């Protein structure tokens, strides 16, 4: 550090240090009662596998409850087998331990969640077993940037540490209100990285979140608190948001399902963002889940029950309608590389495996190649678009003087907004969108299987190539992350992605699941779910 | 003119003069056979009423045909009462005369249309009376900026006089292809102003288009060729586009219905525009019609039959679904002024009349006031957004050296793109959208009745206050223009709009219909049609 850096670090520490300490202390206090469960577990071990450890901690009853799907939990509450409180205690225990293991929470309010579960039980008793709605008694974790009425929302910006959100339906996240109205139970708000523009999760307020399968690696980002929490069973649904891969990369890195719906089907209204006003690429909100069935359940009940277009004029009033897809008529395209960075051996193996398995089941696949020049230009424009909000971010950092983390610096260097021409960004974006739309049509494919990221996960600070996820933000085609059922094998998966990780070491990625991404044409979210069902049937 | 202006005018004349002359000569040649019908009519008279004159020219049969609705024309072709050729000849006669009266066409291809009508008849004969589709044999006029395969498309820019569009489904206007596929007959492409950014219609290639009700006034713009043509019965539907009022202002000035649908329900893909890449306010395409029934017919069959989302990934796959609205439960808000420019006496009288008529029918109305500060800021941002495309337009004008018309200069001075911040435009736009959405909800209104423009029409070059139409482009709430049934009365309607027309003379506006605008919440296009039905029932 230079002298002036040291001086400004001192000023920052003086003003914001105590607030950050208080913030962390509140978190630590919440998990204190759960510390007894992790005694003797070396959860700071380099490659610590928290998923495995969690299994050893839970009782059979807790496992039974927390492994249920949403639909099962609803049915079992209706039948009286479980109370909302039973469900809550099991999930909250996992959530508290998940935080101890991975530092996935920004805020915990376990007692408040417990009171809510009790209220829901009381409602059910007083209404002859009737439930409040399709999310009755279901614990849902929330990315912290969703403004929560009656609490502070920071989006991990230090300057927002006092940003108290009133309990006002016009100020609180609309999605939170929809979920609460239909019975959800909240107790954890999860971490996101500084600027919310890393595909990793590290911030100055609460520090780093780790991958539950392998502590040395990143849980992905920016919804990395969600992926860590959901993979460890802290909730039925984890709500993330995605403007460059921020639902999908964490879902993939933590072995989960995650949907980035077509924009404007799930509202992000009343979320805190440093990217306000950038309309070339919109953010999309959606769930991360352990079960595919839950992902579909969420989309159907959130959209059809919540009707987000009533509160948010930007939402499209499209009901969620089940599709049917004929397995025998369908063709899965396979994209092996974006032509800019070839994926690692593990990802290539996953792609090959899926092709083979589909082939064995007589489901058509077709390798798709993408024009290199067009892809290169599209990625350039994507970065330029993200760069549009650089001045806003710089102001937000300057407001507190918080030190910039390495991947924040990468983001801030994506493009120079002063020389950027938004109209050019948009024209080239639209050209690429049409190119990709016609590629589907010309190749006769229904879906496209592709990597989510160059590797199964990254050792922190390495993930700078966003293109596998961000290309679909650019053109707003919906995606779901799915499980191949394979796991990283350091003996076989020796090569990393080309050119971006000089010190790649296969041993770093042990235990990590190999997940991939499925894409459909714009607005074909329902069809996409059917595509995943076919894959799951073949693969799992 | 300065010396250098004279010099550059000479250069322009030398290079482009002959092309413009050839362009005009082709048009004149097309209408030559129809000149006989207008003998003895002084159609250059100052306040010439072309609508009245047209009535005196047509035979009873021609009137019977051209006054049919789309549905009737389809039924009568099915029954064999009319052939497509019968229909075509009647409409084409009106179209050719409309052009002689108002200069509404940019391009005519009457023989080509005739051949098409014959082909359609042949198809019907060969298929046991079956029709090609819901637009079988219906003459449809097209705003010239829609790229037409096998023809030149200029969008009125001189530099595009050689811009030949190939007959390629990926290059031609998707809407043209949808209409053609379902049986439409084309023979006229209509005029738009220089830059397509006036609410008037005058360009360097074909000159000024006039209002069919009163030659001294403007037909509105930018779809002013359409409004003149449709008001004179040249087609069943006239296809316009609207980014600041360009369907609605012409529809209002020419006594028509016109819908600006919510964006992304009707595709403008493969239209020529100087505004490419400006995505803060999108353009919307839609029909102008003489009958409300036709407007609904168009939307239903274009959307459900055409499924524009198959070709255009930006379209929302929302089928057109008939709504029902309970007259007794509904409330019409009434906006008397935008607080920036009070409308003329005629518009105020129209608004009052509609309120009274609704009251007499026991339909609820409520006067709505809009926050002055918010409106002022919103209009400012609107102009800044239009200003984003100034550099593109300047390049297009520089490419030919065409002289700038007065309203083009007004447009180019809306805002300075060099000091404009697109993110700020968008943030304030979204604030206003939410404000207006909540205004509907807080006031408990279903619809909002408001002026379309400060007056019933304008004497050319006066229309600089776009806000009555453009405020709804800013927030993308759909609108339909409707008829009050009243006409401008110079004895009563003595005052013009406040402050913008110093030499306002009531006598200038004789014969002009008083039309108004109805608005619903975003994506409520179908509901909006039902609102207009209620108004029509009460008013007409």
């Amino acid at each position: 550090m230079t002298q002036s850096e040291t001086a400004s670090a001192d000023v920052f520490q003086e003003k914001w240090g105590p607030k950050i300490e208080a913030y962390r202390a509140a978190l630590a206090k919440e998990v204190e009662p759960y510390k007894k469960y992790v005694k003797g577990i070396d959860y700071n071990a380099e490659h610590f596998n928290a998923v495995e450890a969690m299994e050893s901690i839970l009782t059979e009853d807790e496992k039974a409850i927390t492994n249920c799907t949403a639909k099962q939990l609803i049915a079992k509450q209706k039948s009286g087998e479980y109370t909302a409180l039973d469900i809550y205690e099991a999930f909250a225990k996992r959530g508290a331990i998940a935080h101890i293991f991975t530092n996935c929470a920004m805020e915990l309010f376990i007692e408040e969640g417990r009171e809510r579960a009790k209220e829901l039980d009381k409602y059910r008793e007083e209404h002859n077993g009737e439930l409040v709605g399709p999310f009755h008694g279901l614990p849902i974790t929330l990315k912290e940037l969703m403004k929560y009425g009656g609490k502070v929302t920071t989006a991990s910006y230090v300057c927002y540490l006092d940003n108290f959100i009133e309990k006002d339906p016009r100020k609180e996240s609309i999605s939170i209100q929809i979920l609460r109205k239909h019975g959800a139970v909240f107790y954890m708000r999860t971490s996101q990285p500084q600027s919310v523009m890393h595909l990793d999760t590290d911030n100055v307020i609460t520090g780093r979140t780790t991958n539950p399968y392998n502590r040395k690696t990143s849980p992905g980002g920016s919804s990395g608190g969600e992926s860590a929490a959901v993979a460890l069973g802290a909730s039925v649904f984890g709500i993330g948001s995605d403007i460059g891969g921020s639902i999908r990369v964490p879902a993939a890195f933590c072995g989960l399902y995650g949907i980035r719906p077509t924009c404007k089907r799930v509202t992000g209204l009343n979320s805190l963002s440093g990217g306000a006003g950038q309309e070339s690429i919109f953010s999309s909100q959606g769930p991360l889940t352990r079960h595919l069935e839950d992902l579909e359940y969420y989309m159907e009940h959130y959209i059809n029950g919540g009707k987000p277009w009533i509160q948010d004029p930007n939402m499209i009033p499209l009901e969620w309608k089940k599709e049917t897809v004929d397995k025998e008529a369908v063709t899965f395209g396979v994209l092996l590389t974006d032509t800019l960075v070839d994926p690692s051996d593990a990802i290539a193996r996953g792609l090959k495996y899926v092709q083979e398995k589909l082939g064995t089941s007589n489901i058509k696949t077709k390798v798709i190649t993408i024009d290199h020049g067009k892809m290169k230009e599209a990625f350039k424009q994507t970065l330029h678009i993200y760069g549009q909000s650089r001045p806003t971010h710089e102001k937000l950092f300057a407001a507190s003087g918080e030190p910039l983390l390495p991947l924040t610096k990468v983001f801030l260097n994506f493009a120079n907004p002063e020389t950027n021409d938004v109209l050019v960004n948009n024209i080239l974006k639209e050209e690429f969108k049409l190119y990709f739309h016609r590629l589907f049509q010309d190749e006769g494919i229904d879906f496209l299987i592709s990597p989510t990221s160059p590797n199964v996960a990254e050792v922190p600070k390495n993930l700078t190539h966003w293109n596998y996820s961000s290309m679909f933000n650019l053109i707003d085609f919906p995606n779901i992350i799915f499980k191949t059922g394979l796991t990283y094998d350091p003996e076989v998966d020796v090569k990393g992605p080309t050119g971006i990780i000089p010190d790649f070491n296969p041993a770093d990625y042990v235990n990590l699941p190999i997940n991939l991404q499925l894409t459909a044409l714009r607005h074909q979210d329902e069809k996409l779910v059917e595509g995943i069902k076919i894959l799951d049937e073949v693969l799992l």
Side-chain angles (χ1 to χ4, degrees), chain A:
Chain A
M1 273 209 275
T2 66
Q3 213 168 1
S4 78
E5 276 172 344
T6 314
S8 68
D10 287 348
V11 172
F12 172 74
Q13 189 52 38
E14 197 180 319
K15 176 155 185 206
W16 297 100
K19 284 184 208 240
I20 292 172
E21 269 169 52
Y23 196 97
R24 293 183 178 196
L27 262 173
K29 196 179 159 201
E30 288 283 329
V31 299
E32 197 51 47
Y34 297 88
K35 277 282 180 72
K36 62 186 178 202
Y37 298 115
V38 301
K39 261 183 204 147
I41 298 177
D42 180 16
Y43 53 82
N44 287 316
E46 190 180 18
H47 293 290
F48 175 65
N49 185 337
V51 177
E52 208 174 68
M54 183 69 82
E55 286 299 300
S56 71
I57 291 169
L58 301 175
T59 67
E60 288 310 309
D61 278 354
E62 285 162 351
K63 283 186 199 170
I65 290 174
T66 54
N67 288 330
C68 283
T69 63
K71 208 170 157 184
Q72 289 168 334
L73 290 172
I74 292 294
K76 284 172 195 279
Q77 287 181 90
K78 277 188 184 156
S79 72
E81 188 178 341
Y82 295 156
T83 63
L85 188 61
D86 294 335
I87 295 170
Y88 180 72
E89 295 297 355
F91 278 97
K93 179 177 169 185
R94 293 186 77 135
I97 296 169
H99 180 65
I100 295 168
F101 284 166
T102 66
N103 195 32
C104 59
M106 290 288 288
E107 192 176 22
L108 284 161
F109 35 96
I110 295 175
E111 189 51 34
E112 200 179 313
R114 188 170 286 127
E115 287 309 310
R116 165 73 169 165
K118 286 180 190 169
E119 272 168 34
L120 289 164
D121 282 332
K122 198 173 158 205
Y123 178 95
R124 188 173 62 81
E125 276 161 35
E126 289 171 358
H127 292 77
N128 297 316
E130 198 184 284
L131 305 188
V132 164
F135 297 114
H136 186 108
L138 305 185
I140 301 182
T141 43
L142 303 165
K143 192 172 183 176
E144 194 268 352
L145 55 68
M146 298 167 77
K147 291 182 185 169
Y148 198 114
K151 301 185 189 300
V152 161
T153 292
T154 67
S156 299
Y157 294 97
V158 171
C159 68
Y160 282 129
L161 269 169
D162 297 322
N163 183 38
F164 182 81
I165 307 298
E166 286 169 56
K167 283 190 179 177
D168 176 340
R170 294 198 164 172
K171 294 186 177 161
E172 187 180 49
S173 153
I174 302 297
S175 287
I176 288 181
Q177 294 178 59
I178 287 174
L179 296 173
R180 185 188 290 126
K181 187 181 162 194
H182 293 96
V185 178
F186 306 126
Y187 75 100
M188 183 194 288
R189 300 171 71 202
T190 59
S191 58
Q192 64 254 316
Q194 184 182 53
S195 82
V196 201
M197 292 297 281
H198 311 179
L199 295 175
D200 181 21
T201 300
D202 190 4
N203 68 62
V204 172
I205 302 175
T206 56
R208 156 155 302 286
T209 304
T210 56
N211 190 305
Y213 283 93
N214 176 339
R215 186 173 178 81
K216 193 175 186 181
T217 64
S218 163
S222 65
S223 312
E226 278 309 330
S227 61
V230 175
L232 290 167
S235 61
V236 180
F237 314 103
I239 313 309
S241 60
D242 189 322
I243 198 170
S246 284
I247 288 171
R248 292 163 290 153
V249 170
F253 286 14
C254 296
L256 298 169
Y257 298 96
I259 182 170
R260 189 202 74 81
T262 306
C263 289
K264 304 183 179 178
R265 295 202 69 182
V266 174
T267 179
L269 187 60
N270 296 341
S271 292
L272 187 58
S273 165
Q278 184 281 93
E279 294 197 353
S280 299
I281 296 177
F282 285 90
S283 175
S284 190
Q285 194 186 81
L288 296 87
T289 64
R290 282 175 294 151
H291 310 287
L292 173 60
E293 195 187 303
D294 288 343
L295 186 148
E296 189 179 17
Y297 185 94
Y298 184 90
M299 293 303 287
E300 181 182 344
H301 291 288
Y302 172 92
I303 292 178
N304 297 356
K307 301 189 193 315
W309 50 84
I310 294 173
Q311 300 304 327
D312 181 353
N314 284 332
M315 290 303 105
I316 301 169
L318 259 181
E319 298 272 330
W320 183 271
K321 276 187 192 151
K322 286 212 166 133
E323 282 269 340
T324 48
V325 166
D326 178 3
K327 256 195 319 202
E328 284 168 28
V330 96
T331 302
F332 284 82
V334 183
L335 188 76
L336 299 173
T337 174
D338 70 354
T339 79
L340 307 181
V341 171
D342 292 337
S344 68
D345 278 354
I347 297 294
R349 183 163 64 90
L351 289 165
K352 199 175 160 204
Y353 176 75
V354 175
Q355 270 178 283
E356 283 168 2
K357 288 290 249 178
L358 286 168
T360 314
S361 303
N362 292 314
I363 294 169
K364 288 188 278 295
T365 62
K366 187 174 188 185
V367 171
I368 301 298
T369 53
I370 203 161
D371 183 272
H372 174 70
K374 287 191 168 70
M375 186 72 263
K376 200 173 157 190
E377 182 63 48
F379 187 45
K380 183 179 146 196
Q381 293 305 322
T382 305
L383 297 183
H384 278 257
I385 288 167
Y386 296 135
Q388 288 177 25
S389 66
R390 184 169 97 180
T392 318
H393 281 91
E394 285 172 338
K395 269 180 222 152
L396 291 171
F397 298 132
S400 70
E402 64 178 300
L404 299 186
L405 299 178
L407 286 179
T408 304
K409 289 180 189 166
V410 170
F411 155 60
L412 293 175
N413 284 319
F414 274 168
N416 182 358
E418 277 168 42
T419 58
N420 182 50
D421 185 331
V422 177
L423 273 66
V424 170
N425 298 159
N426 291 338
I427 288 169
L428 293 174
K429 169 188 67 144
E430 288 305 311
E431 279 181 20
F432 191 69
K433 190 190 283 169
L434 217 45
Y435 163 74
F436 224 109
H437 184 79
R438 289 170 176 174
L439 192 67
F440 264 67
Q441 294 178 331
D442 293 344
E443 299 283 357
I445 60 170
D446 296 275
F447 303 107
L448 185 65
I449 296 166
S450 65
T452 318
S453 189
N455 194 17
V456 292
E458 309 290 320
V459 174
K461 299 169 204 168
N462 272 318
L463 186 44
T464 55
H465 186 66
W466 293 25
N467 190 49
Y468 282 102
S469 52
S470 66
M471 69 166 101
F472 297 113
N473 297 90
L474 184 72
I475 63 178
D476 192 24
F477 285 18
N479 328 91
I480 300 181
I481 302 308
F482 66 93
K483 309 176 185 189
T484 63
L486 303 177
T487 304
Y488 197 93
D489 181 349
E491 302 292 317
V492 176
D493 304 322
V494 292
K495 224 166 66 247
T498 51
I500 54 168
I501 309 175
D503 55 350
F504 187 84
N505 178 5
D508 285 341
Y509 305 95
V510 66
N511 287 331
L512 290 167
I514 300 178
N515 277 25
L516 295 169
Q517 175 173 232
L518 192 72
T519 298
L521 285 175
R522 204 168 179 199
H523 296 116
Q524 293 187 347
D525 306 78
E526 289 90 336
K527 180 176 172 181
L528 187 57
V529 169
E530 298 307 310
I532 298 282
K533 284 181 191 168
I534 295 172
L535 292 176
D536 271 10
E537 205 184 304
V538 169
L539 296 168
L540 303 184

